[in-house]
Amino acid sequence: MQYLHKFTDGSTYHFPLGKVVCVGRNYAEHAKELNNPVPSTPILFIKPATSVVPLTDPLVIPEGQGACHFETELAILIGASLRHATHEQVRDAIAGVGLAFDLTLRDLQSTLKEKSLPWEIAKSFDGACPLSAFVKAAELNLENPLHFSMKVDGKLQQQGSTDDMITPIIPLIAYMSQHFTLQAGDVVLTGTPAGVGPLASGMTLAVELTGLYSAETNVR
Ligand code: ZN
């Protein structure tokens, strides 16, 4: 089944979702909280289209797999094909900005990392990418910093700003396009700020793209 993106004005995007290209450790404070070194080049991984679900649907914790962490991330909707793209081509190709959870089976990921094995199964399972609606790029000035936050049961848990990214959005997407062709309908996740933690049944998570969009979801 194809996942079709929604815009915050209620319209649907005509390009279906292909893949979600993600970056690990794009905020120094988050790298530190997991005792990871700050990387010199972006660490990329992909979540398949089958991992994406609407963020406002109840979140489901996979059973018997240990802790499932939320990571709140700025999500960028790609609106044109990008391969070895220039910064200008990237700027022109951004169709919208939203929020996502990069759900991570942290215990499983830690075990796999210890063994130097790839950690796809900890990041790319069905439902691993709850995704919000997108604010249309035309309604934004991408030259200005974007701020976002996430509250758990009303208490501030994570906050991030494009100012704090190790690799900012435009150069990050340009870098990604040197490795993977990005296509209209693909989504880029830009990394999580500090404050990640485990989902628990009954929790309410409220995300806000400051001044632009907010949404709420619950953990089943
Ligand atoms: Zn992440």
Side-chain angles (χ1 to χ4, degrees):
M1 202 179 65
Q2 282 185 332
Y3 180 92
L4 292 173
H5 299 290
K6 291 273 190 295
F7 286 110
T8 52
D9 65 7
S11 61
T12 301
Y13 198 39
H14 50 284
F15 293 109
L17 172 73
K19 60 185 174 295
V20 183
V21 184
C22 310
V23 59
R25 303 176 209 165
N26 200 24
Y27 291 81
E29 290 303 315
H30 169 64
K32 273 188 221 161
E33 76 179 340
L34 295 183
N35 295 315
N36 286 317
V38 175
S40 53
T41 51
I43 300 167
L44 304 185
F45 58 98
I46 288 178
K47 288 177 181 262
T50 44
S51 70
V52 175
V53 290
L55 185 139
T56 47
D57 284 3
L59 306 182
V60 180
I61 303 173
E63 269 176 51
Q65 310 251 40
C68 182
H69 275 201
F70 51 79
E71 298 187 354
T72 312
E73 309 199 0
L74 209 57
I76 309 297
L77 178 60
I78 301 297
S81 194
L82 293 172
R83 180 172 158 74
H84 296 286
T86 63
H87 288 193
E88 195 179 353
Q89 288 169 329
V90 171
R91 233 173 252 120
D92 290 345
I94 293 176
V97 177
L99 293 165
F101 293 126
D102 168 17
L103 296 187
T104 304
L105 293 166
R106 191 70 72 200
D107 297 336
L108 183 57
Q109 186 196 31
S110 299
T111 305
L112 293 165
K113 276 164 72 178
E114 275 165 27
K115 295 178 184 169
S116 298
L117 292 170
W119 27 263
E120 262 91 349
I121 57 172
K123 287 272 196 187
S124 302
F125 56 91
D126 291 358
C129 190
L131 187 61
S132 81
F134 287 91
V135 180
K136 283 182 176 165
E139 294 166 29
L140 299 164
N141 180 356
L142 288 169
E143 304 300 316
N144 294 336
L146 291 164
H147 307 281
F148 63 99
S149 65
M150 195 277 281
K151 289 179 178 171
V152 172
D153 296 329
K155 186 173 156 283
L156 184 64
Q157 179 72 34
Q158 290 197 274
Q159 57 185 336
S161 164
T162 48
D163 284 342
D164 298 331
M165 290 179 178
I166 296 168
T167 308
I169 294 173
I170 304 289
L172 173 65
I173 296 175
Y175 177 77
M176 287 172 167
S177 82
Q178 293 175 25
H179 293 278
F180 314 110
T181 299
L182 296 167
Q183 295 175 302
D186 285 353
V187 169
V188 165
L189 298 194
T190 55
T192 184
V196 303
L199 294 176
S201 193
M203 214 179 228
T204 299
L205 294 91
V207 293
E208 185 177 7
L209 185 52
T210 308
L212 295 166
Y213 172 76
S214 61
E216 198 174 281
T217 191
N218 294 292
V219 184
R220 195 175 279 168

